[in-house]
Amino acid sequence: MISVIIPIYNAEKHLKKAISSALIQKEVREIILIDDGSTDNSRNICLEKEKSNSRIKLYCHQKNKNLGRSASRNLGIKKTTSKYIAFLDADDFYLPNRFKNDLKLFTADETIDGVYNAIGSHFYRESSEIDKRKLSITTISERISPEELFEKMGPMGHFGYFSGIGLTIKKDALLKTNLFNENLKVAEDTELWLKMSLVLKLCPGIINTPVSLRGVHEKNTSFNDEDLYKQNNLIMYQSLLDWMFYKKIPFKRIILIWKKIWTQNIINKTSFANRMKYWIKIVSKHPILLKSVFTYKYFPILRLLK
């Protein structure tokens, strides 16, 4: 019923735990392992697991290249054979009965495209009590209707986030979103979840207690490189804007992303020249933006004169 996709890059320390946590879920039909050019013992672990269990299937990129998380997940999506898809990073793991409630919701309402749930954290490193409280649960804090999710979920609104390891999605619905953006090193999941919220029916599952745990350790990109996120967030919003025009998303929602682009430019301290080039490029490509007062508010020359 469910295909679990696990992208893997140098994850020998935690990989067995991740795979085992997927194997114990009776709803999981197959586990798709994508070795993203690992240089440690991860590949051998995957080969051993594949030999020992027919539900496990191992793939890699051509010439064993390292192409990143997005390309690995996208390859995994293409290889799946189940109606439903779930994601798991190699340093994370599912808790028992991870999918029980999700499948109940899908059965009760066939129009649902995806179900998101709360996740928690498992600490492999020493952490302060502040960190532990902050990362104790990642969730959408209220039961939000699918129609309101885009405006209310982070980073658009203030009702929290959901994570890929807490999401179950129909494969045919996922294919409507153009999958993960392979031009992004990080924030590729945020972009995809926002796309999903715009064109799919995503519903809350269990949002008050974790169904999966994220591994927290010294090598987490999520916690270690703020500048990388700043750069990629801007690329992400720009990409999302073009996609929204392509999908003919309502203009009032497009403007929300247009605003996010200029907020991110301020955060990134983007140079005047680059802001000017970008403003001209996007407005020339999408002249309908000139109908928004906000477009003039952030015209770089006018901002400079203030």
Side-chain angles (χ1 to χ4, degrees):
M1 289 181 285
I2 298 173
S3 296
V4 173
I5 298 167
I6 306 179
I8 299 153
Y9 179 70
N10 291 352
E12 61 182 1
K13 288 184 179 180
H14 311 296
L15 180 54
K16 289 181 180 179
K17 188 170 187 175
I19 295 173
S20 296
S21 77
L23 282 173
I24 65 171
Q25 314 294 332
K26 64 181 181 180
E27 301 88 354
V28 171
R29 176 184 178 183
E30 61 183 1
I31 299 170
I32 307 295
L33 306 178
I34 307 296
D35 179 36
D36 190 24
S38 295
T39 57
D40 64 358
N41 197 44
S42 294
R43 182 71 180 274
N44 290 330
I45 294 172
C46 291
L47 288 169
E48 290 173 7
K49 291 292 184 181
E50 184 182 38
K51 288 179 182 178
S52 67
N53 194 300
S54 61
R55 287 194 288 164
I56 299 174
K57 302 172 185 177
L58 172 63
Y59 300 94
C60 61
H61 302 294
Q62 289 186 352
K63 299 181 180 179
N64 293 318
K65 289 183 177 180
N66 171 242
L67 298 182
R69 297 182 302 191
S70 292
S72 297
R73 289 180 184 138
N74 288 344
L75 176 58
I77 291 166
K78 293 169 186 175
K79 296 296 184 181
T80 57
T81 60
S82 304
K83 181 177 181 179
Y84 302 101
I85 288 175
F87 300 100
L88 184 64
D89 287 346
D91 53 357
D92 302 334
F93 57 94
Y94 294 143
L95 295 175
N97 298 314
R98 158 67 181 88
F99 299 106
K100 185 178 180 179
N101 186 65
D102 290 9
L103 291 185
K104 280 184 180 179
L105 293 175
F106 283 120
T107 302
D109 184 353
E110 293 184 356
T111 67
I112 292 175
D113 294 309
V115 177
Y116 56 86
N117 303 277
I119 72 160
S121 296
H122 180 81
F123 290 84
Y124 291 105
R125 60 169 168 81
E126 291 295 322
S127 300
S128 67
E129 289 302 316
I130 293 175
D131 276 348
K132 289 179 179 179
R133 285 196 298 271
K134 181 180 178 181
L135 299 173
S136 62
I137 188 167
T138 298
T139 189
I140 302 292
S141 59
E142 296 185 9
R143 303 192 75 81
I144 299 169
S145 69
E147 296 77 18
E148 298 178 303
L149 184 59
F150 173 74
E151 281 84 3
K152 291 188 174 182
M153 69 184 287
M156 304 305 298
H158 305 287
F159 287 81
Y161 297 79
F162 66 81
S163 166
I165 65 172
L167 173 72
T168 308
I169 188 81
K170 288 179 178 175
K171 180 176 180 178
D172 61 353
L174 178 58
L175 295 176
K176 297 176 184 178
T177 63
N178 292 5
L179 307 186
F180 289 95
N181 187 340
E182 297 184 17
N183 293 320
L184 293 171
K185 293 182 179 179
V186 294
E188 77 289 343
D189 48 359
T190 300
E191 182 190 55
L192 186 58
W193 312 155
L194 288 172
K195 286 180 178 180
M196 287 182 181
S197 71
L198 287 164
V199 297
L200 303 181
K201 184 176 181 179
L202 301 183
C203 295
I206 300 170
I207 61 172
N208 59 347
T209 187
V211 301
S212 309
L213 296 183
R214 169 179 50 195
V216 180
H217 50 80
E218 291 80 2
K219 293 184 179 181
N220 288 125
T221 306
S222 307
F223 310 122
N224 294 337
D225 200 334
E226 184 178 348
D227 288 338
L228 183 64
Y229 267 90
K230 286 181 181 179
Q231 295 164 9
N232 280 266
N233 279 341
L234 184 56
I235 297 170
M236 180 266 289
Y237 288 131
Q238 293 169 355
S239 170
L240 185 57
L241 184 78
D242 287 335
W243 180 86
M244 291 171 75
F245 273 111
Y246 172 73
K247 286 290 188 177
K248 298 180 180 179
I249 302 298
F251 189 62
K252 64 180 182 179
R253 287 183 153 179
I254 288 174
I255 291 301
L256 294 178
I257 293 297
W258 185 229
K259 290 180 179 179
K260 278 287 186 181
I261 286 172
W262 293 106
T263 300
Q264 193 66 50
N265 270 303
I266 292 171
I267 293 171
N268 291 14
K269 298 180 181 179
T270 307
S271 70
F272 170 80
N274 286 337
R275 282 185 285 122
M276 194 68 209
K277 288 177 184 177
Y278 182 75
W279 192 97
I280 293 171
K281 176 184 175 182
I282 297 302
V283 171
S284 298
K285 187 175 183 179
H286 306 296
I288 193 174
L289 288 170
L290 292 170
K291 291 186 176 182
S292 171
V293 173
F294 192 84
T295 302
Y296 301 97
K297 179 181 177 182
Y298 277 87
F299 181 51
I301 292 178
L302 294 180
R303 296 282 297 179
L304 192 64
L305 293 175
K306 286 185 178 181

